[in-house]
Amino acid sequence: MKIFHLSAECYPIAKIGGLADVVGALPKYQNEVGEDSAVIMPFYNNNFTKAHKFITVFNDEIDLGNVKYPYSILKIADDSLDFDVFFVHVEDLLYKDYVYSENDIDRFLAFQIAALDWILTLENKPDILHCHDHHTGLIPFMAQESFKYQSLNKIPVITTIHNAQYQGWMSYEYLYKIPEFNMKNIGLLDWDNSINPLAAAIKCAWRVTTVSPSYMEELKKNANGLEHLLANESAKSLGILNGIDTDVWNTETDAFIIDNYNQASVASGKHGNKRWLCDTFNLDESKPLVAFIGRLVGEKGAELLPEVFRSILQDKEANILLLGSGLKDTEEQLNALKNEYKGNYNVYIGYDEKLSHIIYAGADFLIMPSRVEPCGLNQMYCLRYGTVPVVRSIGGLKDTVVDINNNGFGICHNEVTITDINNAINRALDFYKNKTQFNSNRKFIMSLDHSWKASANAYINLYNSIN
């Protein structure tokens, strides 16, 4: 089966969040079981593309309204990845040193139109088009409705929602840029009096998936305005839990971490990584290390973290280390705490892939007090690395973490409040004191299987059911 994944992000090429990790792993695991799975994505001017050579497989131009843009389809010249990636290079629009900006309508319209134009020319067309998030949300509509793509309308199109809070809204001023279609069907584009690419994808895709079963159910009640639509389309919708790439996230072979380890050597291995973190960030090695890795935004409960950290550091014997960036006010408050709690607290504002791996390996606990968490990968990474997750029970966190009080292995809380988060962290610190139980739990959580194998097969079964 020939599968094309269409996405704005793909690890290790361009990563902003979990979308990149998914698109960078799912094709690999699908190929391992005998499918022909590849990625189509924009060509950005970033560190990855600067470090690689490319070959041109196709040249043409697209019509974007009244303007023509030349474009190329590029492919990496070597075999450095485990799957093919085809890059849509529109120099005037996509060739930027960033993935997203405040107004990306023309950029991602061009990406989607160029991708479909190229697919039209292929003698061996794909059996499945698998679209990811709103950046590719118009592809299900155009493949079904635009006159120029009529020869593609028998190809099943899947849409996976990674985060329904972002929908790609655009005004009807952009309508003339979408390849011509029967205007009687304009309602397929509309939601709340604007063109809504994610809503159009939900309406037109053959199947709609979310990145966890719980998130699918939650979206029927809280989907930033799409609740009614998702409830109506529930017959063709299902949640498939994301996995993680266990080749990349492997404590025995991870080249980023300071000391490699396995289940048998988890205590010494994690201690070596913790020692490096404490030396680097001026923390007390003898105390439990609580970490946060992620975007500093409301979805992650980030604006509560300064007060949460202050409370924990005043009352408990603990270290706290944060890696992330986002809301400037939150960044400033978190930075200010460094002066108050030297020796037990530090932050790294920004993102560093190597540092994130070392934190997963060296921390004792990872907190995720999320308001919205469609799947979450951080909790799977920390489990794989023997770090106990402290999470709010929502979305994929609910599907992957069971509380220790329910014969589980993590710490869970129900609300995103300072009190609830503090209580959960305090429970974690109390759990840390029982060394025998804590060390046994670390070994157990490392044995949990959250690899992509089961998820990749679930998607293949989905494809087969409609192809």
Side-chain angles (χ1 to χ4, degrees), residues 147-334:
F147 299 136
K148 68 186 295 188
Y149 304 128
Q150 281 188 339
S151 63
L152 304 180
N153 64 17
K154 296 295 191 294
I155 299 175
V157 185
I158 312 297
T159 286
T160 293
I161 302 172
H162 297 259
N163 192 335
Q165 299 303 303
Y166 305 100
Q167 299 171 14
W169 308 271
M170 63 183 80
S171 75
Y172 275 98
E173 294 175 0
Y174 289 90
L175 184 63
Y176 76 102
K177 298 185 179 185
I178 298 173
E180 188 179 0
F181 61 92
N182 187 337
M183 288 296 291
K184 287 193 292 188
N185 297 326
I186 194 171
L188 293 171
L189 289 173
D190 184 81
W191 196 258
D192 198 20
N193 298 314
S194 70
I195 297 174
N196 185 316
L198 187 60
I202 294 167
K203 295 174 188 178
C204 298
W206 293 38
R207 294 290 187 275
V208 177
T209 72
T210 57
V211 290
S212 72
S214 289
Y215 187 54
M216 176 58 79
E217 293 307 308
E218 290 165 6
L219 286 181
K220 295 172 185 177
K221 300 176 182 177
N222 181 17
N224 201 7
L226 298 181
E227 298 84 2
H228 181 64
L229 176 59
L230 283 159
N232 282 347
E233 299 289 355
S234 60
K236 69 175 184 183
S237 305
L238 74 158
I240 298 176
L241 187 68
N242 281 342
I244 61 173
D245 189 333
T246 51
D247 293 330
V248 173
W249 297 95
N250 186 335
T251 57
E252 295 186 83
T253 60
D254 190 339
F256 284 142
I257 66 177
I258 306 304
D259 288 343
N260 294 104
Y261 57 96
N262 55 27
Q263 282 178 268
S265 59
V266 58
S268 61
K270 285 188 69 65
H271 185 258
N273 287 282
K274 182 177 181 179
R275 182 190 302 118
W276 183 91
L277 289 170
C278 291
D279 289 345
T280 303
F281 291 97
N282 187 31
L283 302 173
D284 187 340
E285 185 182 325
S286 68
K287 296 178 180 179
L289 176 56
V290 179
F292 175 94
I293 299 174
R295 292 180 296 124
L296 301 177
V297 294
E299 289 179 16
K300 305 295 183 181
E303 82 284 358
L304 302 180
L305 293 179
E307 191 60 36
V308 167
F309 291 166
R310 180 176 282 107
S311 175
I312 294 299
L313 291 166
Q314 285 176 345
D315 298 336
K316 290 288 181 179
E317 290 287 307
N319 295 308
I320 293 175
L321 178 61
L322 178 143
L323 168 63
S325 62
L327 298 170
K328 295 304 176 186
D329 181 60
T330 302
E331 289 181 0
E332 291 171 2
Q333 291 183 58
L334 290 166

